[in-house]
Amino acid sequence: MPRRSRNPFRIMCLLLMLSGCRQQMADQPRYKPLAESTFFADHRSARPLPTGVVARGFLNEDEHLFTGRVNGELATTFPFEITADVLQRGRERYDIFCTPCHDHVGTGNGMAVRRGFRRGPPSFHLDRLREAPVGHFYDVISNGFGAMNDYAAQIRPRDRWAIVAYVRALQLSQNVNTQDLPLADRQELERLPR
């Protein structure tokens, strides 16, 4: 089989074609974050986000769950079923975030208040708060009220609802009418020393 001779013309054409494959993107300027740019009229290299952009996983379409409102009004119901596990989670979160000011039973006499912080948190056992819709408590946790800061960044929405459920349980525990208890529970209470 005869051996082909190398044609210098073919090699030269191949080299020219390969050199033409370089992308022009490699030649564009690079900017450090927030560096000045001469390309854009506002001289910013970092472009502002378009209006309405939502980060992946942060589209909060459920108004009830994420705002504590239904059709713009404070919610009177919970957005999910309240179980013993939810109440336990609410108690854990309440003990972490709420007891410093509200104390363990919700009277508003927490350690921060006893140590000189401005007396601000009302008792959860006032009639106006016992009758307040659950959306009110969610809104206060999310947006703050009076001396209370908002906790939207520290407490996830489902945990805020769990805290609200636990606050409702505290309200019930401190204001229960013994006549509403089952007979066995009433008899157990009567046996307790006073």
Side-chain angles (χ1 to χ4, degrees):
M1 194 188 259
R3 187 173 175 191
R4 282 187 170 181
S5 65
R6 295 187 182 190
N7 185 343
F9 179 74
R10 283 187 178 175
I11 294 173
M12 188 64 105
C13 284
L14 183 61
L15 287 175
L16 282 172
M17 287 183 358
L18 286 175
S19 69
C21 290
R22 183 163 183 236
Q23 293 181 346
Q24 294 302 316
M25 290 185 340
D27 294 331
Q28 68 183 355
R30 295 185 195 117
Y31 293 102
K32 291 184 177 180
L34 304 176
E36 186 175 5
S37 166
T38 57
F39 183 78
F40 296 104
D42 62 2
H43 299 285
R44 295 186 303 178
S45 63
R47 306 312 309 143
L49 295 174
T51 305
V53 166
V54 177
R56 183 183 298 251
F58 286 89
L59 182 59
N60 302 333
E61 289 182 315
D62 188 343
E63 179 189 27
H64 193 180
L65 177 66
F66 292 104
T67 67
R69 296 180 178 272
V70 175
N71 297 324
E73 299 292 322
L74 290 173
T76 57
T77 60
F78 289 91
F80 51 86
E81 182 182 2
I82 303 302
T83 63
D85 290 338
V86 171
L87 282 175
Q88 181 60 33
R89 178 72 176 179
R91 180 180 183 176
E92 290 169 0
R93 303 291 97 188
Y94 179 89
D95 286 348
I96 292 168
F97 294 105
C98 308
T99 57
C101 296
H102 293 279
D103 77 34
H104 287 282
V105 291
T107 62
N109 196 26
M111 191 56 66
V113 173
R114 287 186 274 166
R115 296 287 187 246
F117 189 73
R118 185 177 114 190
R119 175 115 177 122
S123 171
F124 292 138
H125 310 296
L126 299 173
D127 287 339
R128 75 174 172 86
L129 290 178
R130 280 200 315 267
E131 295 167 4
V134 291
H136 168 74
F137 294 99
Y138 183 88
D139 185 63
V140 170
I141 295 169
S142 300
N143 301 311
F145 186 83
M148 180 175 159
N149 294 324
D150 69 273
Y151 282 85
Q154 294 93 336
I155 307 172
R156 297 179 316 184
R158 290 186 78 83
D159 285 345
R160 284 180 242 160
W161 281 112
I163 290 171
V164 173
Y166 183 69
V167 166
R168 281 296 198 225
L170 282 177
Q171 290 173 324
L172 182 63
S173 74
Q174 299 300 307
N175 300 290
V176 69
N177 184 347
T178 55
Q179 297 307 314
D180 294 338
L181 294 173
L183 180 60
D185 291 339
R186 275 188 276 154
Q187 290 172 344
E188 183 71 28
L189 278 176
E190 290 168 4
R191 283 189 279 237
L192 293 173
R194 292 186 186 236

